[in-house]
Amino acid sequence: MALSRGLRCCQRVFSWIPVLIITAVVLWSYYAYVFELCLLAYLLVFHACFAMFSWTYWKSIFTPVAVPCKKFQLSYSDKQRYEMEERPDAQKQILVEIAKKLPISTRAQSGAIRFCDRCQVLKPDRCHHCSVCETCVLKMDHHCPWVNNCVGFSNYKFFLLFLAYSMLYCVFIATTVFRYFLKFWTGDLPNGPAKFHVLFLMFVALMFFISLMFLFSYHCWLVAKNRSTLEAFSAPVFIGGPDKNGFNVGMKRNMQQVFGEDVRQWFIPIFTSQGNGHYFPLKSQSSESQNPLLANEDLWEESDDGSEEGSLGESNVEKHILMNLLDVHIFQHSI
């Protein structure tokens, strides 16, 4: 037991090494650019890029992951029923009965309700268990070692902005240092510490830019298709089977789900994503509703007495689920 705790403690310490590496490289680049090269004409723009990069990186690292609310946890009585039942089919039926009260559309590969034995929760759509964070994460994209955090519903916008401002930071350094880099190769640059910094600033900036460009382009494609990294590798399964475009509701609405409706706030690392991470509109749903994602946002808000009660009655929730299933069935026959 003590050995296990020691290993877990060591793992948590070592998990910060990639973050420390990135931090060290960025701090060195700041020192080399500001104090060694001292390009006064560019310092204002440089500090703006540096500030936005640091802000988005901080938010990506320290934003807590969003986890399923209490509505998706098994009650004491349901947990007793589930654990005392030895037949797998009967256990699945218990989960089906509980899921009828929840806006769950996706299923496991076997067709069963997705249930996490470790967290003892019914997984909301697009939710997955992270073995590193040891919890279920809403709309989990992936666990990123470079931010030592899970990228999911709560910080996906911050992660995308981090990639964008990292690219901008690298491009700005590379373009402003380029002429000094040419002087280095022609021998016109005087000997001194600045000579070393010019060479490495150029190579490090270009190296990071190329890597970030591919990663950022990939995530832009994911946002346009409304997929997570996990869903890109394994399509989500619905009642009618796997559908990689099941959550694709059009590029505009896909982007609004991540960045919000106010374009002025898209480039600022503040949380503007739509919904609460428990429910997402489906491609097959009717477009008559103005915004089904926001329409269900109050479904899981806490009531005044501290318990989480849905704003819809049980019968209305069941009706909502049945309508979703009917839409899926009609859509499948239409294609």
Side-chain angles (χ1 to χ4, degrees), residues 21-261:
I21 292 174
I22 295 295
T23 304
V25 171
V26 172
L27 291 178
W28 163 76
S29 68
Y30 182 88
Y31 167 79
Y33 196 94
V34 175
F35 295 100
E36 291 293 340
L37 297 183
C38 197
L39 306 178
L40 297 177
Y42 305 115
L43 286 184
L44 182 62
V45 179
F46 172 82
H47 279 93
C49 295
F50 180 81
M52 294 306 296
F53 163 81
S54 301
W55 189 7
T56 54
Y57 193 40
W58 177 274
K59 295 285 284 186
S60 299
I61 295 172
F62 295 106
T63 299
V65 296
V67 299
C69 68
K70 293 180 180 179
K71 279 289 182 179
F72 289 82
Q73 297 177 357
L74 293 183
S75 65
Y76 179 79
S77 58
D78 290 333
K79 187 176 180 180
Q80 290 291 104
R81 288 174 56 205
Y82 182 81
E83 291 179 348
M84 293 180 63
E85 183 59 63
E86 297 180 355
R87 296 171 299 171
D89 292 340
Q91 288 183 328
K92 292 180 181 179
Q93 186 59 36
I94 293 174
L95 296 179
V96 169
E97 293 175 4
I98 301 172
K100 288 180 180 179
K101 306 173 185 179
L102 301 169
I104 296 177
S105 302
T106 55
R107 298 291 185 267
Q109 291 292 336
S110 62
I113 299 296
R114 300 193 310 134
F115 178 73
C116 180
D117 290 317
R118 296 182 180 180
C119 300
Q120 292 291 295
V121 297
L122 278 75
K123 295 180 182 179
D125 293 346
R126 318 186 81 173
C127 175
H128 298 274
H129 185 89
C130 177
S131 58
V132 180
C133 297
E134 297 181 344
T135 187
C136 285
V137 180
L138 294 179
K139 196 188 176 184
M140 179 178 174
D141 187 87
H142 68 288
H143 185 91
C144 180
W146 299 107
V147 300
N148 192 27
N149 198 4
C150 252
V151 178
F153 176 76
S154 62
N155 64 347
Y156 189 54
K157 175 189 174 182
F158 306 147
F159 179 74
L160 291 174
L161 291 179
F162 160 62
L163 296 180
Y165 285 117
S166 298
M167 289 177 55
L168 182 62
Y169 184 71
C170 293
V171 168
F172 180 81
I173 289 179
T175 53
T176 55
V177 172
F178 183 70
R179 63 172 180 172
Y180 298 96
F181 181 75
L182 291 178
K183 289 183 179 180
F184 169 81
W185 284 109
T186 56
D188 296 333
L189 198 67
N191 292 325
K195 196 171 185 179
F196 165 82
H197 291 296
V198 165
L199 178 63
F200 276 85
L201 272 176
M202 191 68 186
F203 278 114
V204 171
L206 288 177
M207 179 183 67
F208 274 90
F209 171 74
I210 294 173
S211 302
L212 290 167
M213 180 181 62
F214 286 107
L215 184 59
F216 182 69
S217 300
Y218 176 67
H219 277 280
C220 287
W221 178 78
L222 290 178
V223 171
K225 297 292 184 180
N226 204 341
R227 299 177 197 168
S228 65
T229 300
L230 295 176
E231 291 166 354
F233 285 95
S234 179
V237 179
F238 299 89
I239 298 295
D243 185 1
K244 61 182 180 180
N245 293 315
F247 296 105
N248 188 350
V249 290
M251 182 178 295
K252 180 180 178 180
R253 291 180 62 191
N254 292 344
M255 295 183 67
Q256 287 177 346
Q257 283 189 26
V258 177
F259 296 101
E261 295 184 356

Side-chain angles (χ1 to χ4, degrees), residues 279-295:
Y279 169 81
F280 299 90
L282 304 178
K283 176 185 65 175
S284 57
Q285 286 178 337
S286 172
S287 59
E288 294 178 0
S289 171
Q290 291 183 351
N291 199 326
L293 183 62
L294 295 179

